[in-house]
Amino acid sequence: MRLKLKNIFLLYLVVSVLGLLCALLQLGQPCACPPAPGAERSRGGARGGAQALPTIYVVTPTYARPVQKAELVRLSQTLLHVPALHWLVVEDAAAPSALVGGLLASSGVPHTHLHAPTPPERRPRPGDPPWVRARGAEQRNRALRWLRDTRTPRDGGVVYFADDDNTYSVRIFEEMRSTRLVSVWPVGLVGGLRFEGPVVSGGRVVGFHTGWRPERPFPLDMAAFAVALPLLLARPGARFDPQAERGFLESSFLGGLVTPQQLEPKAKNCTEVLVWHTRTERPKLRQEEQLQRQGRGSDPRIEV
Amino acid sequence: MLRRRNLLTTLLIALPWALLLTLWHQYPTTRYLSLLRKETDENVTSKAFLNGTSALREEGLPSCIRQQQSIGATPRIIQNYVYSRPPPWSDTLPTIFVITPTYTRPVQKAELTRLANTFLHVQNLHWVVVEDSPRRTNLVSNLLEKAGLNFTHLNVETPKSLKLGLSWIPSHTPRGTLQRNLGLHWLRDSFSNTAPPEGVVYFADDDNTYSLELFEEMRYTRRVSVWPVAFVGGLRYESPKVSPAGKVVGWKTVFDPNRPFAIDMAGFAISIKLILEKPQASFKLEGVKGGYQETSLLKDLVTMDGLEPKAANCTKVLVWHTRTERPTLVNEGKRGFTDPRVEV
């Protein structure tokens, strides 16, 4: 072909038509646009598509003791890595405290601060051994009430009960996000075992691997399951029974929601441990107590 | 008067380009490029940059990602950002080297996991994990690879004789000493005294709790900085005594306040420059009385009046000496009930 102006124009036309066709093909595909540029610019990569993700509602009952602030601080540092998360902190107290309020405000985690006191007859008594703690049933029920009051089934989302002394890998939150009814996974260092969890066969839960009271309808720890919010809202009667026997608190709640066969196994068919039931020692404050008896205790205005 | 042919030609040329321009902003790579350009203009921390690349990254990428853009923003506590990876490395911020001795026990993976979740929020942090074991274990290696942090993985085994040596006073057996010394040794090997990097060394045990503010307090340490630590010495917190002029003049402790440095391992940080200047300074192994391990290192580095008080003149508690209960694995029985192939 001779190098005529006509040919050059023809070539140019062909190239631009091809480019146009490519662009039109792109039009049919899902758009990778960022949402509102100003607000979303300050969010991290993990939150880039936050709008589309079902929200995880993390319910944490907490009570005042020396290590409370430390526990909540390190839990908040984990939760800060999870996009589309709403933290419901429920204090076992008659009124919200400044310590927890201040901590939540500066944590950077979207949250709601609630409180619900445990009735005196269910609180640990002075003579009880140190491992006896209040069950947290009233606090979790308070959070359930908040969800029922403020959320509709259309909202979608998942509810997870996360105690403030456990350890969570960031991955467990991504595992639970796809819950349709109730999902389950193993929990490390609980029930007197290295880990306790469901036995899965053919992608379904067929039994439970536990060393303690296997006759429980749901021999699971509180941190071992997550409930889809629409299911919770469809069962207004589902709650934690504060009168339930020790170890049966989870069953009292789950029994009103699903049968064991309906549980959805996560964490690679329940073969990976992504959450651990760690417990923090009570710190030895003997010198502090001595000083306080002498009226020379540490400055209570310095928050610990 | 325009001829129809010329008009047609112009239209045919202009139309494809007009349509292409309107669709330009939707195409991922061009958005990525425009964001890069905007960054250098607005000097925003490059979260948007990570936005584009996070889809490309998988979990197992090498930990040290050095990016050429210097952020230039002053270090701040993370309030509004969420990182699934650590903040981008800055060429201007001093590095915080965190030395963590660790040993195998049931809660080890949990402790290191939550520690990693904390460190992922801190900019320019390099984690030196030293295992008390004859070989580097798979558990720790995999955890460090997947965490996404800048790390160095070392190991040295404490000989049995040393472990049992002072066991008649079990609370005074210095734990982690060899491991911390190995961490210091690695620093001295990796960096030269003639061109020391800007940075600070901090000894962080794997069961304590650290606030994010603490790391920003220690970052600009000139020699040795100190602050209060909660739940040590039988008190709500132990703290240095600071004069109104802002100098450390003593120690607010009940247990032996006359020690040269009555401070917990988590209560101080040392600048790299000082560590490299004094290559013989390390933790003593033998003959160390209970509570004197920190002194055995600090006495060769600094005197009390050279200490820099942080945390609002030592009035805020930013680190807690929490301890994790040992889980009772009573139901495992003699032969182990749970599948040993599942890592816990």
Side-chain angles (χ1 to χ4, degrees):
Chain A
M1 212 158 55
R2 294 221 309 263
L3 197 71
K4 289 208 294 211
L5 193 63
K6 188 175 77 171
N7 294 336
I8 294 174
F9 270 125
L10 211 63
L11 190 66
Y12 166 79
L13 191 69
V14 167
V15 167
S16 21
V17 168
L18 278 173
L20 179 65
L21 281 172
C22 279
L24 284 173
L25 282 170
Q26 290 290 326
L27 196 62
Q29 285 171 11
C31 168
C33 304
E40 283 302 305
R41 175 68 73 79
S42 62
R43 308 233 175 194
R47 279 196 177 170
Q51 262 64 351
L53 288 177
T55 304
I56 298 178
Y57 296 92
V58 176
V59 175
T60 298
T62 183
Y63 64 103
R65 76 272 198 202
V67 295
Q68 180 187 36
K69 188 177 183 193
E71 301 283 49
L72 292 174
V73 161
R74 60 181 167 185
L75 181 53
S76 74
Q77 290 164 351
T78 295
L79 297 181
L80 208 51
H81 288 295
V82 185
L85 183 144
H86 193 97
W87 197 12
L88 292 166
V89 178
V90 193
E91 288 196 72
D92 183 352
S97 70
L99 186 147
V100 175
L103 192 155
L104 289 177
S106 59
S107 66
V109 181
H111 64 272
T112 297
H113 186 185
L114 302 167
H115 62 97
T118 307
E121 63 268 19
R122 281 197 277 277
R123 284 177 176 269
R125 277 174 283 272
D128 283 338
W131 45 262
V132 170
R133 298 180 190 187
R135 316 282 299 287
E138 285 81 4
Q139 289 75 43
R140 294 187 188 96
N141 286 338
R142 176 71 188 86
L144 292 179
R145 201 178 78 199
W146 183 89
L147 285 166
R148 289 174 171 131
D149 284 345
T150 63
R151 293 290 181 267
T152 66
R154 242 175 8 97
D155 289 323
V158 180
V159 183
Y160 183 51
F161 299 95
D163 290 347
D164 60 8
D165 53 357
N166 291 341
T167 302
Y168 309 90
S169 135
V170 177
R171 288 184 45 211
I172 192 65
F173 298 100
E174 296 318 312
E175 290 284 314
M176 70 176 72
R177 219 184 272 278
S178 53
T179 304
R180 286 193 307 274
L181 292 174
V182 175
S183 54
V184 287
W185 47 79
V187 174
L189 312 172
V190 72
L193 296 174
R194 279 171 72 242
F195 68 93
E196 194 185 63
V199 175
V200 173
S201 171
R204 305 182 72 81
V205 172
V206 297
F208 294 96
H209 187 80
T210 172
W212 186 71
R213 305 290 295 272
E215 68 274 17
R216 294 178 278 165
F218 291 90
L220 296 168
D221 182 72
M222 197 64 74
F225 64 90
V227 181
L229 184 62
L231 174 65
L232 194 64
L233 297 177
R235 303 269 199 278
R239 56 193 283 280
F240 291 92
D241 180 6
Q243 317 268 31
E245 223 184 304
R246 201 163 87 83
F248 283 74
L249 196 61
E250 296 83 359
S251 305
S252 73
F253 175 64
L254 290 173
L257 291 171
V258 283
T259 63
Q261 293 73 28
Q262 290 175 295
L263 295 171
E264 298 149 41
K266 301 286 178 187
K268 295 211 181 92
N269 275 338
C270 295
T271 55
E272 269 194 306
V273 175
L274 299 171
V275 53
W276 298 262
H277 192 269
T278 43
R279 288 170 62 119
T280 306
E281 277 183 17
R282 197 192 292 186
K284 299 186 182 65
L285 297 176
R286 209 169 345 123
Q287 271 64 38
E288 182 73 40
E289 286 151 17
Q290 264 177 17
L291 284 178
Q292 286 190 356
R293 277 196 289 269
Q294 298 164 11
R296 294 192 295 135
S298 60
D299 187 347
R301 289 168 306 173
I302 295 188
E303 199 181 73
V304 169
Chain B
M1 193 179 69
L2 287 165
R3 283 184 20 213
R4 218 187 310 159
R5 199 187 67 180
N6 285 347
L7 190 62
L8 198 64
T9 321
T10 319
L11 210 65
L12 275 175
I13 292 170
L15 188 64
W17 289 105
L19 277 165
L20 208 66
L21 279 170
T22 55
L23 297 170
W24 176 273
H25 74 280
Q26 290 184 11
Y27 200 64
T29 49
T30 58
R31 176 170 65 94
Y32 174 94
L33 287 170
S34 71
L35 283 174
L36 267 184
R37 240 181 292 125
K38 268 202 203 134
E39 248 160 44
T40 47
D41 294 341
E42 295 172 16
N43 204 18
V44 172
T45 56
S46 53
K47 274 285 106 245
F49 183 80
L50 278 171
N51 222 330
T53 53
S54 61
L56 305 171
R57 287 201 211 185
E58 13 157 28
E59 272 189 311
L61 266 186
S63 31
C64 222
I65 317 259
R66 293 194 160 254
Q67 282 143 16
Q68 283 319 301
Q69 58 234 1
S70 70
I71 304 302
T74 49
R76 351 183 340 210
I77 316 307
I78 313 303
Q79 295 275 328
N80 300 312
Y81 306 145
V82 170
Y83 294 102
S84 55
R85 285 287 175 260
W89 200 270
S90 154
D91 288 332
T92 53
L93 277 186
T95 304
I96 301 178
F97 291 90
V98 176
I99 298 181
T100 298
T102 184
Y103 63 102
T104 302
R105 76 270 198 205
V107 296
Q108 181 187 38
K109 190 177 182 190
E111 302 281 46
L112 293 176
T113 300
R114 58 182 167 188
L115 209 52
N117 287 343
T118 300
F119 293 156
L120 278 168
H121 292 295
V122 183
Q123 201 165 1
N124 280 38
L125 185 145
H126 189 104
W127 197 14
V128 181
V129 178
V130 193
E131 289 196 72
D132 184 349
S133 90
R135 262 168 298 281
R136 299 193 295 192
T137 60
N138 282 337
L139 188 148
V140 177
S141 304
N142 292 338
L143 191 147
L144 290 174
E145 293 284 336
K146 291 209 186 109
L149 289 162
N150 278 22
F151 69 90
T152 296
H153 187 185
L154 306 169
N155 68 293
V156 60
E157 191 177 24
T158 308
K160 300 269 189 305
S161 56
L162 220 59
K163 276 191 204 165
L164 298 172
L166 294 168
S167 63
W168 58 281
I169 319 169
S171 59
H172 299 320
T173 312
R175 186 151 222 170
T177 311
L178 269 179
Q179 288 72 35
R180 293 187 189 98
N181 281 344
L182 185 64
L184 289 175
H185 182 81
W186 174 84
L187 276 169
R188 288 170 175 140
D189 270 350
S190 312
F191 302 104
S192 85
N193 194 12
T194 48
E198 283 288 317
V200 65
V201 180
Y202 182 52
F203 297 99
D205 289 347
D206 60 7
D207 53 359
N208 291 342
T209 303
Y210 310 92
S211 73
L212 299 181
E213 214 183 320
L214 177 71
F215 298 101
E216 301 316 317
E217 289 284 313
M218 71 172 76
R219 203 186 283 278
Y220 292 96
T221 301
R222 286 192 308 275
R223 311 223 19 106
V224 177
S225 54
V226 291
W227 49 79
V229 178
F231 311 138
V232 284
L235 297 171
R236 272 172 82 236
Y237 63 90
E238 263 185 1
S239 128
K241 216 180 284 182
V242 179
S243 72
K247 299 197 79 66
V248 176
V249 295
W251 310 100
K252 283 201 226 159
T253 76
V254 167
F255 172 65
D256 206 347
N258 299 315
R259 290 175 275 167
F261 295 94
I263 196 165
D264 182 76
M265 195 67 71
F268 63 91
I270 311 168
S271 80
I272 302 274
K273 203 154 149 295
L274 188 55
I275 293 284
L276 297 175
E277 266 171 32
K278 306 266 171 75
Q280 75 286 0
S282 60
F283 292 100
K284 298 288 169 294
L285 281 166
E286 319 238 348
V288 176
K289 267 192 348 185
Y292 281 77
Q293 213 199 1
E294 296 80 5
T295 302
S296 73
L297 170 73
L298 290 171
K299 67 173 170 36
D300 291 332
L301 291 169
V302 73
T303 56
M304 198 194 285
D305 50 295
L307 295 172
E308 300 151 51
K310 301 284 181 184
N313 269 346
C314 296
T315 56
K316 282 164 81 169
V317 174
L318 301 174
V319 55
W320 299 261
H321 193 274
T322 42
R323 287 170 59 106
T324 305
E325 277 182 18
R326 195 200 298 195
T328 46
L329 303 179
V330 288
N331 290 325
E332 285 288 345
K334 284 216 180 64
R335 279 180 300 148
F337 185 73
T338 54
D339 186 347
R341 291 166 304 173
V342 175
E343 192 183 76
V344 172

